[in-house]
Amino acid sequence: MKDLEILEKLNISTIKNQVLKNAYGNQETLIAKLDPRTMFIWYLLFGLVPWFINDMFILCGLLVFVAMTTRLARTVPLILFIFFLGIFSQTGFLFIFTLVFGGDGSSIMPLIQLTVKIAVVSLAAITAFAGMDPDKLANGIMAIGLPEKFSFAISFAYRILPILLEEYQSILLSYKIRGIRPSNVGLKGKFNNVVYQVKIMMKAFYPLMLNMAKRSRTTVEALEIKGFHQALNNKKVRAMKLQGLKFGRMDWIFTGLSVAYFAILIGVRVFWIQ
């Protein structure tokens, strides 16, 4: 019964709800209230610096810090599940490949170090980008000087993703209604059932691409009719979008605490731990 309950939760509707919750359900968090440019600067620190550090004490300290910021951003369980699945599977596969191609147990420490670096960068990205409102993220991208079309593409991607998932679910249901599901009795029946589900999921991608291409064309035509390119070149519209962005007290406090924590880690490692 527990297995059935888990399988019932792992469906397209759950994924869609998790995506919508992560994009629009964290408006009251500390991370969501910060200026997006603050998060871009913060990510430059915690997304790039770990690659140039090989000390495990500092890396583990950074991992603890970004884990706390991810908790503050109230990241949905789906993203965290994908994160943990990717981290552990990557380390395991790399270790197996190392052993197959002549390595030994001494390679486990470099692999752990690489895993910690990837974990720090990944959690920093989750905090910076998954914890912000899509409109705020797009406006922040526009504020740092990137093209307006790129900013619109980011915002449009967030909005079309739930529609894409809903369309994919509809195609899957249509395949299941028209097809014959194999028996789920016995080990062979379960294996055939899994193969059947995988085949349907693969086949559903082709009509999904065609349907989304039609939707994209309709969206482009609607934007052109409403003067999309003229609005992009209008300085008043741009200023109106950016007027809500400003560095506040919380932005300076958050940035200062992050830099101070990083400096304390380095100081403890250099002066106290030899």
Side-chain angles (χ1 to χ4, degrees), residues 22-61:
N22 189 76
Y24 300 101
N26 298 328
Q27 304 302 313
E28 301 301 324
T29 62
L30 172 64
I31 303 300
K33 294 179 180 179
L34 296 175
D35 190 281
R37 292 167 292 183
T38 301
M39 298 309 302
F40 295 157
I41 297 172
W42 182 86
Y43 181 68
L44 287 177
L45 177 63
F46 289 89
L48 295 179
V49 173
W51 294 112
F52 303 97
I53 298 176
N54 294 322
D55 188 86
M56 284 299 296
F57 175 79
I58 297 178
L59 289 174
C60 290

Side-chain angles (χ1 to χ4, degrees), residues 6 11 14 40 57 60-61 72 98 110 114 158 168 179 186-187 207 209 218 230 236 242-243 258 274:
I6 294 174
N11 51 41
T14 303
F40 295 157
F57 175 79
C60 290
L72 288 175
T98 302
L114 176 63
Y158 270 96
Y168 186 64
L187 183 61
M209 289 187 290
T218 303
Q230 294 296 328
K236 292 183 179 180
L242 301 181
Q243 66 181 0
S258 301
Q274 299 297 332

Side-chain angles (χ1 to χ4, degrees), residues 137-158:
L137 175 61
N139 292 337
I141 292 174
M142 189 186 304
I144 62 177
L146 292 178
E148 289 82 355
K149 291 183 179 180
F150 180 76
S151 173
F152 172 78
I154 297 297
S155 179
F156 181 72
Y158 270 96

Side-chain angles (χ1 to χ4, degrees), residues 82-92 115 118-119 122:
I82 297 174
F83 163 75
F84 284 112
L85 182 63
I87 288 294
F88 290 112
S89 61
Q90 176 182 349
T91 304
T115 301
I118 296 175
S122 300

